[in-house]
Amino acid sequence: DTAVSQTPKYLVTQMGNDKSIKCEQNLGHDTMYWYKQDSKKFLKIMFSYNNKELIINETVPNRFSPKSPDKAHLNLHINSLELGDSAVYFCASSRTSGGPTDTQYFGPGTRLTVL
Amino acid sequence: AQSVTQLDSQVPVFEEAPVELRCNYSSSVSVYLFWYVQYPNQGLQLLLKYLSGSTLVKGINGFEAEFNKSQTSFHLRKPSVHISDTAEYFCAVSPSGSARQLTFGSGTQLTVLP
């Protein structure tokens, strides 16, 4: 059983398009995250939701909008895609919103390529 | 705010040799420290973490790390590596009491050679 799953695994699209990446966790966790890993493998948090409520919102363009229909899902919608959006996007989840025994579990990543 | 520096972007090492991957951090508050591993085309997996207590932390796959507060370091070690340890290793830090606020280093690619 996959703990944190993402779809699609690969996404190739043209500049200006709108796309979504889906994330689901079956761990019963309350908190979910989106990270962006750039071409130099630098990993940076974008958003975090706890029980469907936004708790972390780093400096990310407004074109990126997370949506959490329930605490097991956190989807990432990107409008008007730009070349610089090309990256690997990782979803993660943790049991609570960051207690000392918490561990973030990561999904396999979605490689987005904008042409 | 916290920052993490991984001093080596690439570390090649022969199989069965020891390895040390270096990590230094900067923070104005006390921290938790983590090492994650990313195998090719996979997500990140937690290797080990330091929250408090003993400064020597043992993790999965025979890895260990030592927290050195005076040198603000959290270096990862393994006494004898295997080909299967080839992966990208990320050091991360969070403010203590808030493990959700992870700040990652830029990663170290460990390549184990036969």
Side-chain angles (χ1 to χ4, degrees):
Chain A
D1 286 343
T2 303
V4 182
S5 60
Q6 297 178 227
T7 53
K9 192 172 175 67
Y10 300 96
L11 183 54
V12 181
T13 188
Q14 300 283 339
M15 268 198 312
N17 285 349
D18 302 339
K19 290 293 179 185
S20 292
I21 307 172
K22 295 185 176 181
C23 178
E24 176 181 2
Q25 54 93 4
N26 62 6
L27 297 167
H29 288 170
D30 288 335
T31 305
M32 296 184 72
Y33 312 77
W34 275 110
Y35 288 85
K36 179 180 180 180
Q37 187 178 46
D38 63 22
S39 58
K40 296 183 179 180
K41 297 206 171 180
F42 185 64
L43 199 65
K44 184 173 170 58
I45 192 167
M46 301 172 69
F47 302 102
S48 176
Y49 270 72
N50 178 249
N51 278 322
K52 299 174 19 179
E53 181 181 344
L54 183 65
I55 54 173
I56 294 176
N57 185 359
E58 294 296 311
T59 306
V60 175
N62 291 337
R63 300 181 294 103
F64 290 79
S65 55
K67 288 190 170 40
S68 182
D70 55 61
K71 71 176 191 178
H73 296 84
L74 181 62
N75 304 323
L76 183 64
H77 190 74
I78 315 171
N79 289 326
S80 302
L81 278 155
E82 300 177 358
L83 292 176
D85 298 332
S86 295
V88 181
Y89 293 83
F90 286 101
C91 178
S93 73
S94 63
R95 190 163 50 88
T96 67
S97 57
T101 58
D102 237 357
T103 296
Q104 292 189 28
Y105 293 83
F106 284 76
T110 295
R111 182 175 293 277
L112 171 64
T113 303
V114 182
L115 304 174
Chain B
Q2 291 77 44
S3 67
V4 178
T5 301
Q6 291 184 244
L7 298 162
D8 306 300
S9 59
Q10 298 200 30
V11 173
V13 63
F14 287 106
E15 195 173 17
E16 297 184 8
V19 70
E20 178 180 82
L21 306 183
R22 296 181 293 170
C23 172
N24 286 87
Y25 70 92
S26 172
S27 176
S28 56
V29 300
S30 57
V31 296
Y32 295 153
L33 293 154
F34 307 81
W35 275 100
Y36 280 84
V37 60
Q38 183 180 20
Y39 297 105
N41 299 315
Q42 294 186 29
L44 280 73
Q45 178 183 0
L46 182 68
L47 268 181
L48 49 79
K49 60 185 175 183
Y50 170 79
L51 303 179
S52 65
S54 172
T55 57
L56 184 62
V57 181
K58 293 190 184 297
I60 61 172
N61 300 339
F63 284 93
E64 63 181 31
E66 186 158 19
F67 170 54
N68 187 320
K69 188 175 181 180
S70 62
Q71 296 187 4
T72 60
S73 68
F74 190 55
H75 300 333
L76 181 70
R77 301 186 185 101
K78 186 169 182 178
S80 175
V81 293
H82 301 128
I83 297 285
S84 59
D85 292 323
T86 295
E88 190 86 23
Y89 291 79
F90 291 93
C91 182
V93 64
S94 75
S96 60
S98 182
R100 68 173 184 247
Q101 301 264 14
L102 284 177
T103 299
F104 283 87
S106 54
T108 297
Q109 173 64 44
L110 173 65
T111 302
V112 181
L113 306 167

